[in-house]
Amino acid sequence: MLEHFCECYSDLSGLIPCPVLGSITPLFIPNSRIRPIRWIGLCASLITFLYPPVPRIQFDPSTAKSQFVESLRWLPYENINLYMGIDGLSLFFVILTTFLIPICISVGWSGMRSYGKEYITASLIREFLMIAVFRMLDPLLFYVLPESVLIPMLCGAEHLIFAGIKLFLCRGLVHERRQIFLWIASFASFAVKVPMVPVHIWSPEAHVEAPTAGSVILAGILPKLGTHGFLRFSIPMFPEATLRSTPFIYTPSAIAIIYTPSTTSRQIDLKKIIAHSPVAHMNLVTIVRGEGSSSSFRALVGRPLQKPLAEKARRASLHSLRGSRTAHSWKSEGPYYLPNPSLRGTVVTILYGSGGNRRTPISGGESLALSNIQGIGGSIPPMSSHGPVPPALFLCVGVLYDRHKTRLARYYGGSVSTMPNLSTISFFSTLANMSSPGTSSFIGEFLILVGAFQRNSLVATLAALGMILGAAYSLWLYNRAVSGNFKPDFLHKFSDPIGREVSIFIPFLVGGATVR
Amino acid sequence: MEYTYQYAWIIPFVPLPVPIAIGLGLLLVPTATKNLRRAWAFPSVFLLSIIMIFSADLAIRQIKGSPIYQYGWSWTINNDFSLEFGHLIDPLTSIMSILITTVGVMVLIYSDNYMSHDQGYLRFFAYMSFSNASMLGLVTSSNLIQIYLFWELVGMCSYLLIGFWFTRPIAANACQKAFVTNRVGDFGLLLGILGLYWITGSFEFRDLFEIVNNLIDNNGVNSLFLTLCASLLFVGAIAKSAQFPLHVWLPDAMEGPTPISALIHAATMVAAGIFLVARLFPLFTSIPYTLNLISLVGIITVPLGATLALAQRDIKRSLAYSTMSQLGYMMLALGMGSYRAALFHLIAHAYSKALLFLGSGSVIHSMEPIVGYSPDKSQNMALMGGLTKYIPITKLAFLLGTLSLCGIPPLACFWSKDEILNDSWLYSPIFAIIACFTAGLTAFYMFRVYLLTFEGNLNIHFQNYNGKKNSSLYSISLWGKKGTKTIKNKILFSKMNKKEKASLFSKKTYPIGGNLRNMMQPLITITQFTNKQTSQYPHESDDTMLLSLLTLVLLTFFVGYTGIPFDQFDILSKWLTPSINLLHTNSNNSLDWYEFVTNSILSVSIAYFGILIASLLYRPVYSSFHNFYLINSFVKMGPNRIFWDQTINVIYNWSYNRGYIDAFYAITLTRGIGGLAELTHFVDRQVIDGITNGVGVTSFFIGEWVKYIGGGRISSYIFLYLFYVSMFLVISNLLLSR
């Protein structure tokens, strides 16, 4: 039994049953006995959280292939199978999901009186679905699962990607022009999730309406579904189209980076202000996806390009790409993955920092030819750092809301004199939000800008401008809520977070430091 | 000997245990940590003095002529991109680290006493040690990434320290202003770094310089782009060193405790901009346009800071503007290519200004029990005066600092400023005239501060007359940035309108009617006070504060001698030889006596002229009657007088309202961003929401409309059927007939 358990633990098959079991068990306990339900939920999520070290140890960063693959023949005549696996990309997201769920459960610890069972069950089911999404390698199921994850609000645009996938499945190989159409379809669906600017409006609204735990998930994981989908499917499936349509990615991202911070200065709701920060962050990531696509494109060709020759080489590479694609169909190689092992290696090394060996300095000419690989590498750390940062901010607001039952910024002020611990924590979160050095966001943002600057200086300049605005609004928020005169007229309870609440925050501070 | 260099990486890490321990202690065991209290000051001073000795050792090695040392670890992110972290020990580093540690130790000792009654004593020491650590990290860093990293950390420390008394809304606003303004500079710095990385592919200084030089020689790079990148790097320096367009944060930064102003906003952090330009000097020298830009910014800042310092009431603000002006001198020197002069002035000014700030802190400390603990009162020079009697040692120290800053011979700033002025004559006569004129202005405003503070008699009766207005400002602006801004503006303008009477400048009209009263006043007030309470007099500060003051006095005295431009004395040139060799300039040929004396006579006489005017205008009348007659003769000069008055008023308004620059920024930038926010909010609410809602509403109306069609009336079905059939027939007929 124990051996079987260990075996089950060492490959990742337990990662899905664990939350499922955790969500089923409370159903047999009457709702009046809230304590065992809570503990079962917490334990199930914690056990799930202990899984990621396993792949961390056993993970082989040198290969690009998905590891821990499980497959299940499902609809063989349509060539639809249940493929699950994990690679450098999805490993991080799985870790993030399993990290956030126990926190969500403990956030609602004392709040769940009447709906305790539903709360636990819903959280664990959500965890299961998200893990499944991140591990899913089959496009059809990848379409189905986010649909079922949550938020009917998002579903509209996903039918487009369904159409795209269907076409892709039928045709096998797609013509370049049609590729662009499909790319737009899939992009539309992912853009809603990210959210990019014309369709960002749902994000602040949803955050305001959601409870704290909901906001944590909403800010921590949901935007990553978009970027993850983009990296996993759009780029490998439609590389040429992605390369062609980089302006489509750049323009709304750059607009969003300027747009959202300036909107925040008009908001009065604490949560709404914070809700804009994921938008700006994730758009920074999409910039890299734009350029990452082209760098992955280069990586496909497998050699660095001389800058003056770029145009010529691009054409040549288009041909070579087509050649290689026709030679061996992707399907035969199994699940979809980023096509070049070195690129995958990049992604993985970023996560697990294989540092140490000295490098000879690059000479000037060579550096111009340096292929822009730090871009896509850089897009992973911001996503990863973005995981803990806005949830931490939301938790801070949640603590304030628990105390004072208002989210309007004007009622707050001088919290530092009564809540020094909370002020310290929110100061660190604010610093991380504006990605100042020493926090997890810094390296990611820096790498993004290094990459983006070489690809498109204007976009990088705008993105860096967003940095100023981001600092302005985060500090403004912090100053309004924390420093200044204390307002005893509005605030009556003066209890600093202790015990449970501080212990919720500690993993964020630790996680923020280690994630990079 | 190698070991010293090899382990130099430890420099920034040595002060770190203190803030970490304090932080953890305050989080985990608050009461025990707070009870220890002053025991925390000792380790921070101790650790910093270890660094001081260490860097003195490094400096001695550098003077003896050991090579530049660089050591790095590489952190490979992937095969193509790696970051190097390391340390670089060269003359510039050793100069800066000695500067930081000596001033830092003095300020820490000083602030043990200064902050002893403050609630945030521990927090203060944690912040201070952390800012020292990050500053040391900045000067020892060997590449641009590290520079950027520590640059931001230093900015963060400055934010924390300015907002140290965060419960005061003014301080909270000031620290936010400082951080955001610095962030604008960081934006430039970051873009510059990225651009240079694009051009050269390296973050590391020496590679960078070599590659850029090669590229320029081979015409391998667009010179416009290179100039742009270098200028962007310089923007970072502009913000950090409070140069012209981005200087607005420095005077507001005086909301922090005075030791902070001495250490961070006078000696070390604001020098970081100068340090950056000096560090990248080989890069800038190869791009002449950037050098011109640097000198231009410097020469704009020099008179601007000096004129803005003319009419400030707050003793620390006036010193802050003076700092800005002196930093402008250093920028000017760097822009002119005189590397050595700039660094020399950096050192000399740092010690003198730290001395002045600590002196002003002592003054404030002595004033606080009498006038109250609001900075509007305790730092207000209108309420001071005649402090010589009460705090003689502080007065001596302050006077020496003032003299040094004015450029009076044996003191530090004389040597350095003289060198800059000499070099400016060689560079451009216009710049030199402005610089010399500002040297006179410097002497004028510094003596104004000195005279208002220490001469005459105690003016605390002004409290009602002046303090009330300030306190009303203070109490009204409890909340809201916008609210404060408008209120501030209103008060400023109202003051501007009726200020002729309120101004300090108009002390010159005082003697006409007020001579007798002024003479009478001290007698009356003194007797009254002696009757009431003896404790109503300012007290001299405690020994530890005086100790650091006097040490800085010594440093101010002797630091000038390191750089006397004659062969046998010139330690500084020996020190800087490697860097100067790197620049391929042979500017270190020593002057001969004759040239030197003629130049220095000019500058000293300008300084004396400034002092003379200041003492004519501000010297209290009763102490010297002949001045009174002199002023009267000035005043009664006849028709010129109106013009003279108007000029003075214009200057006064300009200076008192900070050159209208802050107001301009408030109007354009803040409102601009507010407008942008309005616009985006409108787009969000109306356009984007409008589209989504519009789709919903449209479908609703379509449904409404369709509902009536399918209403179940047979007649309408028949009508529609016939209608469509006839339409179809008509169309098909038309098409067929063609």
Side-chain angles (χ1 to χ4, degrees):
Chain A
M1 177 67 194
L2 191 68
E3 264 177 32
H4 182 73
F5 181 74
C6 289
E7 201 176 301
C8 186
Y9 213 89
S10 62
D11 61 3
L12 281 178
S13 49
L15 199 51
I16 295 214
C18 197
V20 171
L21 275 180
S23 62
I24 291 173
T25 329
L27 297 180
F28 302 109
I29 303 173
N31 211 350
S32 54
R33 303 181 61 189
I34 188 75
R35 288 178 64 91
I37 295 181
R38 279 183 198 156
W39 281 110
I40 285 171
L42 190 62
C43 289
S45 60
L46 280 178
I47 291 171
T48 325
F49 176 59
L50 290 180
Y51 265 104
V54 177
R56 171 72 179 85
I57 296 161
Q58 298 187 346
F59 196 77
D60 179 13
S62 57
T63 69
K65 293 201 170 161
S66 298
Q67 300 166 35
F68 311 104
V69 178
E70 292 159 37
S71 63
L72 202 69
R73 285 168 64 83
W74 184 27
L75 300 172
Y77 46 91
E78 284 282 5
N79 202 4
I80 296 173
N81 293 318
L82 181 70
Y83 259 125
M84 292 178 93
I86 210 161
D87 62 5
L89 262 181
S90 48
L91 177 58
F92 165 70
F93 295 115
V94 172
I95 295 176
L96 185 66
T97 314
T98 52
F99 169 74
L100 284 178
I101 292 289
I103 284 168
C104 283
I105 288 179
S106 46
V107 162
W109 194 254
S110 57
M112 44 175 168
R113 290 267 147 65
S114 45
Y115 293 103
K117 200 197 288 185
E118 287 81 353
Y119 188 85
I120 296 285
T121 316
S123 315
L124 287 173
I125 287 178
R126 208 154 49 168
E127 175 170 24
F128 145 69
L129 285 171
M130 280 185 294
I131 292 171
V133 169
F134 287 130
R135 290 181 64 202
M136 191 57 62
L137 297 167
D138 188 87
L140 180 73
L141 287 172
F142 185 79
Y143 156 69
V144 173
L145 282 172
E147 190 90 20
S148 47
V149 167
L150 69 175
I151 319 273
M153 196 184 280
L154 302 179
C155 295
E158 272 158 19
H159 295 290
L160 289 172
I161 190 184
F162 182 55
I165 289 166
K166 211 165 156 188
L167 266 174
F168 184 80
L169 288 175
C170 295
R171 293 291 182 97
L173 192 77
V174 193
H175 189 260
E176 191 186 328
R177 190 164 297 167
R178 185 156 292 158
Q179 222 187 56
I180 287 178
F181 167 71
L182 291 178
W183 180 85
I184 290 172
S186 74
F187 177 72
S189 107
F190 292 133
V192 173
K193 278 230 189 73
V194 166
M196 297 185 73
V197 108
V199 285
H200 69 286
I201 202 91
W202 64 268
S203 159
E205 304 277 338
H207 280 296
V208 170
E209 296 306 323
T212 307
S215 296
V216 167
I217 293 293
L218 213 54
I221 300 178
L222 203 70
K224 277 78 179 178
L225 280 178
T227 37
H228 174 251
F230 199 92
L231 281 174
R232 177 163 302 275
F233 291 104
S234 283
I235 293 179
M237 286 204 301
F238 320 115
E240 298 148 48
T242 315
L243 185 63
R244 285 289 168 84
S245 48
T246 38
F248 274 122
I249 309 177
Y250 279 155
T251 318
S253 312
I255 289 173
I257 287 169
I258 306 295
Y259 183 93
T260 44
S262 49
T263 317
T264 51
S265 48
R266 187 67 178 62
Q267 308 293 338
I268 50 168
D269 189 321
L270 288 179
K271 250 188 166 177
K272 233 178 200 178
I273 296 173
I274 298 171
H276 280 89
S277 99
V279 181
H281 270 279
M282 293 318 284
N283 277 288
L284 205 56
V285 177
T286 50
I287 280 188
V288 187
R289 292 190 332 205
E291 95 199 32
S293 63
S294 41
S295 79
S296 76
F297 191 76
R298 287 176 173 191
L300 282 175
V301 186
R303 61 168 186 272
L305 306 180
Q306 292 292 333
K307 202 164 191 190
L309 300 176
E311 182 59 19
K312 199 174 155 192
R314 199 173 63 81
R315 301 232 168 258
S317 64
L318 279 174
H319 287 293
S320 74
L321 177 77
R322 256 178 230 148
S324 71
R325 283 270 295 285
T326 42
H328 46 89
S329 163
W330 286 14
K331 288 248 156 173
S332 63
E333 287 189 7
Y336 301 98
Y337 55 84
L338 292 178
N340 190 325
S342 76
L343 183 69
R344 184 67 62 76
T346 312
V347 170
V348 172
T349 355
I350 285 279
L351 279 176
Y352 297 114
S354 77
N357 43 338
R358 288 190 65 105
R359 176 191 62 102
T360 51
I362 330 161
S363 70
E366 206 182 311
S367 72
L368 280 179
L370 189 75
S371 81
N372 191 322
I373 222 153
Q374 58 262 41
I376 194 159
S379 87
I380 310 295
M383 283 198 279
S384 61
S385 80
H386 181 262
V389 173
L393 281 170
F394 276 120
L395 287 177
C396 291
V397 174
V399 169
L400 280 180
Y401 184 75
D402 276 354
R403 302 272 186 291
H404 306 306
K405 305 293 177 208
T406 178
R407 285 193 310 259
L408 291 188
R410 57 177 294 124
Y411 291 139
Y412 287 102
S415 313
V416 69
S417 39
T418 52
M419 313 181 167
N421 287 353
L422 181 74
S423 313
T424 317
I425 292 164
S426 58
F427 180 66
F428 280 115
S429 319
T430 308
L431 279 185
N433 192 29
M434 57 198 189
S435 59
S436 78
T439 60
S440 53
S441 344
F442 171 68
I443 288 189
E445 197 172 311
F446 191 80
L447 286 179
I448 285 182
L449 289 175
V450 167
F453 199 85
Q454 302 181 26
R455 173 95 3 221
N456 189 332
S457 316
L458 179 67
V459 169
T461 311
L462 290 176
L465 192 65
M467 201 179 79
I468 300 181
L469 292 172
Y473 86 80
S474 330
L475 271 187
W476 185 49
L477 175 68
Y478 175 76
N479 264 4
R480 278 203 293 188
V482 166
S483 47
N485 276 349
F486 187 65
K487 295 180 173 170
D489 303 349
F490 303 126
L491 309 176
H492 301 296
K493 290 184 181 173
F494 314 121
S495 49
D496 209 26
I498 38 151
R500 179 177 64 86
E501 283 165 334
V502 169
S503 63
I504 291 172
F505 280 113
I506 285 171
F508 278 103
L509 299 180
V510 176
T514 52
V515 131
R516 62 187 163 135
Chain B
M1 122 120 218
E2 271 296 304
Y3 286 121
T4 327
Y5 282 108
Q6 212 161 354
Y7 290 108
W9 59 268
I10 210 168
I11 287 180
F13 294 101
V14 171
L16 267 186
V18 176
I20 291 173
I22 292 180
L24 284 181
L26 281 180
L27 263 183
L28 302 176
V29 276
T31 40
T33 320
K34 274 179 190 158
N35 286 338
L36 278 177
R37 209 168 164 86
R38 290 183 93 155
W40 286 107
F42 177 72
S44 43
V45 172
F46 176 69
L47 291 176
L48 202 60
S49 17
I50 288 178
I51 302 283
M52 185 168 74
I53 294 162
F54 195 92
S55 50
D57 180 47
L58 284 180
I60 290 167
R61 284 175 201 282
Q62 289 290 336
I63 292 170
K64 279 181 184 161
S66 64
I68 296 174
Y69 185 86
Q70 188 173 3
Y71 194 83
W73 296 270
S74 126
W75 177 39
T76 310
I77 287 184
N78 58 46
N79 299 329
D80 299 315
F81 184 74
S82 77
L83 297 177
E84 293 222 348
F85 289 96
H87 62 270
L88 170 69
I89 304 296
D90 70 339
L92 187 60
T93 305
S94 57
I95 285 181
M96 289 300 288
S97 56
I98 279 202
L99 186 69
I100 293 161
T101 47
T102 43
V103 180
V105 166
M106 287 307 126
V107 168
L108 279 178
I109 293 173
Y110 179 92
S111 47
D112 170 49
N113 200 320
Y114 191 87
M115 303 298 290
S116 60
H117 298 295
D118 200 283
Q119 225 182 357
Y121 181 85
L122 293 182
R123 204 158 45 90
F124 184 82
F125 271 87
Y127 290 170
M128 281 291 257
S129 297
F130 191 58
S131 81
N132 279 331
S134 41
M135 197 63 213
L136 286 168
L138 178 68
V139 298
T140 49
S141 49
S142 70
N143 56 30
L144 282 172
I145 302 258
Q146 258 171 299
I147 288 259
Y148 182 74
L149 212 146
F150 286 113
W151 193 266
E152 291 263 313
L153 280 185
V154 164
M156 190 195 81
C157 290
S158 151
Y159 168 85
L160 287 172
L161 286 167
I162 295 169
F164 185 77
W165 288 316
F166 38 64
T167 44
R168 286 215 319 262
I170 303 176
N173 283 339
C175 64
Q176 195 180 347
K177 187 175 181 180
F179 200 95
V180 173
T181 317
N182 269 314
R183 200 75 184 187
V184 175
D186 295 342
F187 162 72
L189 181 67
L190 180 63
L191 282 184
I193 291 174
L194 296 180
L196 275 178
Y197 180 69
W198 191 17
I199 295 171
T200 62
S202 172
F203 290 120
E204 201 264 325
F205 292 125
R206 233 180 308 175
D207 293 351
L208 200 79
F209 303 150
E210 273 174 27
I211 293 168
V212 166
N213 278 328
N214 283 341
L215 284 177
I216 289 176
D217 291 342
N218 305 332
N219 247 341
V221 64
N222 186 355
S223 68
L224 189 67
F225 186 68
L226 188 61
T227 315
L228 184 71
C229 287
S231 315
L232 281 172
L233 279 179
F234 177 57
V235 170
I238 287 180
K240 203 56 101 188
S241 284
Q243 298 298 297
F244 160 56
L246 299 176
H247 65 274
V248 286
W249 65 272
L250 186 61
D252 283 6
M254 295 300 135
E255 290 297 330
T258 314
I260 304 304
S261 315
L263 179 64
I264 301 205
H265 303 122
T268 58
M269 192 196 83
V270 286
I274 312 292
F275 166 78
L276 179 71
V277 178
R279 177 58 91 206
L280 296 172
F281 201 62
L283 173 73
F284 289 133
T285 39
S286 49
I287 313 165
Y289 290 114
T290 321
L291 275 190
N292 291 341
L293 179 73
I294 293 173
S295 60
L296 187 69
V297 168
I299 201 66
I300 292 173
T301 313
V302 166
L304 183 72
T307 47
L308 294 188
L310 283 181
Q312 297 300 322
R313 261 165 220 215
D314 188 318
I315 181 169
K316 279 171 71 184
R317 262 176 210 226
S318 150
L319 289 178
Y321 278 119
S322 147
T323 308
M324 172 188 156
S325 164
Q326 300 298 318
L327 289 168
Y329 271 116
M330 296 169 212
M331 277 294 174
L332 175 66
L334 283 171
M336 292 184 307
S338 42
Y339 185 76
R340 180 185 175 280
L343 285 185
F344 190 21
H345 196 55
L346 174 64
I347 302 167
H349 167 258
Y351 288 122
S352 313
K353 196 44 80 59
L355 173 63
L356 280 171
F357 265 113
L358 291 189
S360 75
S362 176
V363 169
I364 293 165
H365 220 238
S366 67
M367 289 297 286
E368 265 176 347
I370 305 173
V371 292
Y373 287 85
S374 155
D376 289 315
K377 294 170 187 165
S378 62
Q379 302 177 12
N380 199 335
M381 288 190 289
L383 307 184
M384 296 174 189
L387 293 179
T388 317
K389 270 179 274 183
Y390 310 112
I391 43 174
I393 303 175
T394 308
K395 179 233 168 179
L396 181 72
F398 199 90
L399 178 63
L400 282 171
T402 308
L403 286 176
S404 163
L405 209 61
C406 297
I408 303 301
L411 295 162
C413 278
F414 161 71
W415 305 100
S416 56
K417 196 187 273 184
D418 202 48
E419 204 169 314
I420 293 178
L421 292 183
N422 285 348
D423 287 346
S424 70
W425 282 112
L426 298 178
Y427 183 71
S428 146
I430 302 170
F431 281 19
I433 289 167
I434 296 175
C436 285
F437 174 69
T438 313
L441 274 184
T442 309
F444 175 77
Y445 68 71
M446 282 316 297
F447 256 83
R448 170 177 172 271
V449 171
Y450 168 74
L451 292 171
L452 283 177
T453 312
F454 290 102
E455 298 293 323
N457 55 329
L458 206 54
N459 286 328
I460 42 177
H461 326 290
F462 272 156
Q463 198 169 350
N464 292 332
Y465 147 60
N466 229 338
K468 209 164 207 172
K469 234 173 231 166
N470 287 334
S471 70
S472 74
L473 163 75
Y474 183 62
S475 56
I476 288 173
S477 62
L478 280 179
W479 180 248
K481 205 178 157 199
K482 209 170 178 182
T484 6
K485 273 272 152 65
T486 53
I487 289 162
K488 221 180 236 170
N489 281 346
K490 263 180 213 159
I491 284 191
L492 280 191
F493 286 121
S494 70
K495 245 180 209 165
M496 207 175 68
N497 292 335
K498 40 179 158 157
K499 80 34 302 171
E500 273 89 2
K501 276 171 199 160
S503 74
L504 293 176
F505 229 106
S506 65
K507 268 208 166 182
K508 93 182 156 43
T509 53
Y510 236 84
I512 304 170
N515 184 22
L516 198 66
R517 203 179 60 208
N518 252 348
M519 278 181 66
M520 296 297 285
Q521 233 167 14
L523 295 174
I524 301 164
T525 51
I526 285 170
T527 46
Q528 272 181 350
F529 272 125
T530 40
N531 286 344
K532 271 184 192 166
Q533 266 179 341
T534 40
S535 69
Q536 282 288 316
Y537 293 117
H539 279 295
E540 182 64 279
S541 309
D542 284 342
D543 291 342
T544 41
M545 282 165 81
L546 294 181
L547 169 75
S548 34
L549 272 182
L550 293 179
T551 320
L552 279 173
V553 165
L554 287 183
L555 282 169
T556 311
F557 250 114
F558 292 113
V559 86
Y561 295 110
T562 56
I564 298 174
F566 306 113
D567 264 337
Q568 62 273 32
F569 297 118
D570 198 356
I571 302 172
L572 193 68
S573 285
K574 269 184 217 159
W575 201 345
L576 287 174
T577 315
S579 316
I580 290 173
N581 285 345
L582 195 70
L583 304 179
H584 307 294
T585 54
N586 41 1
S587 60
N588 58 342
N589 49 348
S590 57
L591 304 162
D592 56 343
W593 271 104
Y594 175 70
E595 205 178 335
F596 177 74
V597 167
T598 46
N599 282 328
S600 56
I601 282 177
L602 177 68
S603 62
V604 171
S605 57
I606 290 172
Y608 272 122
F609 186 65
I611 294 175
L612 182 71
I613 294 180
S615 50
L616 282 183
L617 290 179
Y618 291 105
R619 197 166 186 95
V621 193
Y622 53 86
S623 55
S624 48
F625 279 98
H626 55 279
N627 274 349
F628 165 59
Y629 293 118
L630 196 62
I631 287 170
N632 257 354
S633 66
F634 255 126
V635 166
K636 290 173 182 166
M637 259 191 327
N640 275 343
R641 200 189 143 196
I642 300 165
F643 174 72
W644 178 241
D645 260 4
Q646 278 174 344
T647 329
I648 285 193
N649 281 342
V650 167
I651 295 174
Y652 182 84
N653 286 343
W654 162 264
S655 176
Y656 190 80
N657 296 309
R658 305 157 158 216
Y660 302 104
I661 295 169
D662 286 37
F664 174 73
Y665 283 165
I667 291 168
T668 53
L669 291 182
T670 316
R671 280 193 201 163
I673 289 179
L676 186 65
E678 285 286 337
L679 182 72
T680 51
H681 191 71
F682 172 78
V683 170
D684 262 7
R685 282 287 140 251
Q686 309 295 324
V687 179
I688 297 179
D689 256 16
I691 289 171
T692 22
N693 291 342
V695 171
V697 169
T698 320
S699 62
F700 173 75
F701 276 118
I702 289 174
E704 282 289 311
W705 183 61
V706 169
K707 187 171 83 179
Y708 290 114
I709 294 173
R713 283 176 63 185
I714 306 289
S715 55
S716 70
Y717 288 167
I718 292 173
F719 168 72
L720 281 175
Y721 174 73
L722 288 177
F723 178 73
Y724 284 125
V725 166
S726 56
M727 285 301 287
F728 177 74
L729 285 177
V730 167
I731 290 169
S732 59
N733 270 336
L734 284 176
L735 288 177
L736 284 177
S737 64
R738 200 170 272 176

